[in-house]
Amino acid sequence: MAAGGFCKLPNGTVVVALNLPRPLAAGSGSVRVLVHAHNRARALTRLRNLGLRAVYLRGNGQPPTPDEITAVLHHPDGLIWRTAPGVDAVAAELWHPIRTLIRRPAAPTP
């Protein structure tokens, strides 16, 4: 179960923030993922469609901050990530598009 939360915007859309374990191919630790969608269910569906199958939002313990909301609203995909705040996190890390986190390893060439 992922820690996170959501924020409903004045136009009716939501921004969902989740702390998830980093996929095995991308290293160790956890990441903070932000999703902009029409509702919470669609936000979670967007993540599940990318291969993050066991993503659930229980409660609103860690909603997105105003800076995080601004970052995801200004991204064309509306789906971004960075290292979760913690001991090993870099304070000045920028937000990354989700495709950089969920890259499929290239097939080896013969």
Side-chain angles (χ1 to χ4, degrees):
M1 182 168 54
F6 68 95
C7 180
K8 190 162 186 161
L9 302 177
N11 65 358
T13 61
V14 296
V15 173
V16 174
L18 295 166
N19 289 348
L20 302 171
R22 188 179 294 242
L24 295 176
S28 62
S30 62
V31 295
R32 179 98 166 153
V33 177
L34 296 174
V35 184
H36 180 233
H38 291 290
N39 56 44
R40 285 181 287 167
R42 284 193 180 180
L44 297 176
T45 300
R46 288 186 72 187
L47 290 173
R48 290 180 187 131
N49 288 342
L50 291 171
L52 302 172
R53 299 286 182 213
V55 176
Y56 297 96
L57 179 62
R58 304 269 192 246
N60 200 14
Q62 296 179 348
T65 64
D67 290 337
E68 291 175 335
I69 293 170
T70 301
V72 75
L73 290 178
H74 284 88
H75 193 273
D77 294 338
L79 190 57
I80 56 177
W81 72 277
R82 72 174 172 191
T83 305
V87 178
D88 60 344
V90 178
E93 182 181 6
L94 298 176
W95 291 97
H96 308 282
I98 197 71
R99 67 182 170 269
T100 62
L101 179 66
I102 308 177
R103 282 198 178 138
R104 306 275 191 264
T109 56

